[in-house]
Amino acid sequence: PQIGAAEPASGLPVDAGVVAIIDPVVYPVIAGTQTARVAIKNAGVNTLTSVNVNFQVGNTVTTINHTLSMISCEVDTVVFSGANQITLNAGTNNVKVWVSDPNNATDGYAGNDTITATYCTPLPAGTYTVDVAGSGPNNFTTIGALVDIMNCGGIGGPIDINIAAGTYIEQISLSYIRGASATNYIRFNGASNTTTTIQMPANITGNASLFEMVGTSHVKIENIRFRSNPLSNSALIRIAGISDSI
């Protein structure tokens, strides 16, 4: 590639590709029906006059038959608006965008046809529980399930996580959490430091971390016991990257 220059065409007569998902942005993700924008490119030699642009969220696919006149190497934006708006749900959304049937023909190169992305809404501010016998929308049966949501979508305010008495056999890994701050903290609180235990799984051997925070900030850990296993040379708590206020 030549810096500052447009990439040349593939040399194929017909080749349409997806360049990027412009909207929605990956953070903050807002649940609900909204307009989406996708950048596509004519990577072929022939002028592109029509192409199907497909936007899939979960199992729902929206298709626009985009008619245009794009010369070779030109980029255009396709807007999914009005009846073609897409809907993102609260939680995790797996998104796939692809082009098909350029000029009502077979695409000459499939390698640039598709982009996938994951969009996660922030975990709303509030109090959550981790309890294998619990229920309700704010209860999780594993610590990891709650952490996965925060790793992907960030948080929308202060988060208090009350972990019931019991032994939770799982590894926990927090990354950079968008939205975390001195005000918007993340607090893990066990029932007591003798009854709430996070334990390394028995199949983990060698060097490992039981509870790690990599680039994570503004986390409080209270009333939790951490336990390794005899086969693992593990760090019970590992803090790495640019992390502060732990």
Side-chain angles (χ1 to χ4, degrees), residues 2-241:
Q2 182 177 353
I3 297 173
E7 288 297 304
S10 62
L12 298 167
V14 181
D15 180 15
V18 179
V19 177
I21 301 172
I22 302 170
D23 288 312
V25 296
V26 294
Y27 181 83
V29 175
I30 300 173
T33 301
Q34 54 202 278
T35 297
R37 296 191 301 151
V38 175
I40 63 170
K41 179 180 179 179
N42 179 10
V45 175
N46 295 350
T47 297
L48 188 63
T49 57
S50 68
V51 63
N52 287 336
V53 184
N54 311 278
F55 200 116
Q56 180 175 357
V57 182
N59 295 320
T60 302
V61 179
T62 302
T63 300
I64 290 179
N65 179 252
H66 191 53
T67 56
L68 66 168
S69 180
M70 287 176 65
I71 63 173
S72 181
C73 295
E74 190 174 1
V75 175
D76 193 23
T77 300
V78 180
V79 180
F80 289 76
S81 60
N84 292 317
Q85 284 186 306
I86 59 100
T87 299
L88 295 177
N89 301 309
T92 301
N93 298 267
N94 294 315
V95 168
K96 176 182 175 183
V97 177
W98 72 99
V99 291
S100 57
D101 302 316
N103 290 353
N104 296 310
T106 299
D107 197 304
Y109 176 59
N112 59 1
D113 287 355
T114 304
I115 285 180
T116 59
T118 301
Y119 290 81
C120 302
T121 55
L123 184 69
T127 299
Y128 297 84
T129 56
V130 178
D131 187 345
V132 294
S135 61
N138 281 11
N139 183 74
F140 294 78
T141 56
T142 68
I143 303 167
L146 190 51
V147 166
D148 286 345
I149 295 174
M150 294 190 290
N151 281 341
C152 184
I155 60 175
I159 304 294
D160 287 290
I161 303 167
N162 294 324
I163 306 172
T167 299
Y168 299 85
I169 303 175
E170 51 182 313
Q171 286 180 281
I172 307 301
S173 180
L174 286 94
S175 59
Y176 171 71
I177 306 295
R178 296 182 177 98
S181 66
T183 302
N184 297 340
Y185 59 83
I186 304 165
R187 176 174 172 262
F188 294 87
N189 181 43
S192 78
N193 60 10
T194 58
T195 61
T196 299
T197 302
I198 300 176
Q199 181 172 317
M200 182 70 78
N203 63 334
I204 303 299
T205 61
N207 296 324
S209 300
L210 177 57
F211 193 109
E212 69 175 7
M213 292 164 281
V214 181
T216 317
S217 299
H218 306 290
V219 174
K220 305 176 182 180
I221 303 172
E222 302 172 0
N223 302 313
I224 297 173
R225 176 172 58 184
F226 297 92
R227 179 180 291 164
S228 184
N229 71 53
L231 299 178
S232 173
N233 181 25
S234 61
L236 295 180
I237 296 178
R238 175 176 176 260
I239 301 172

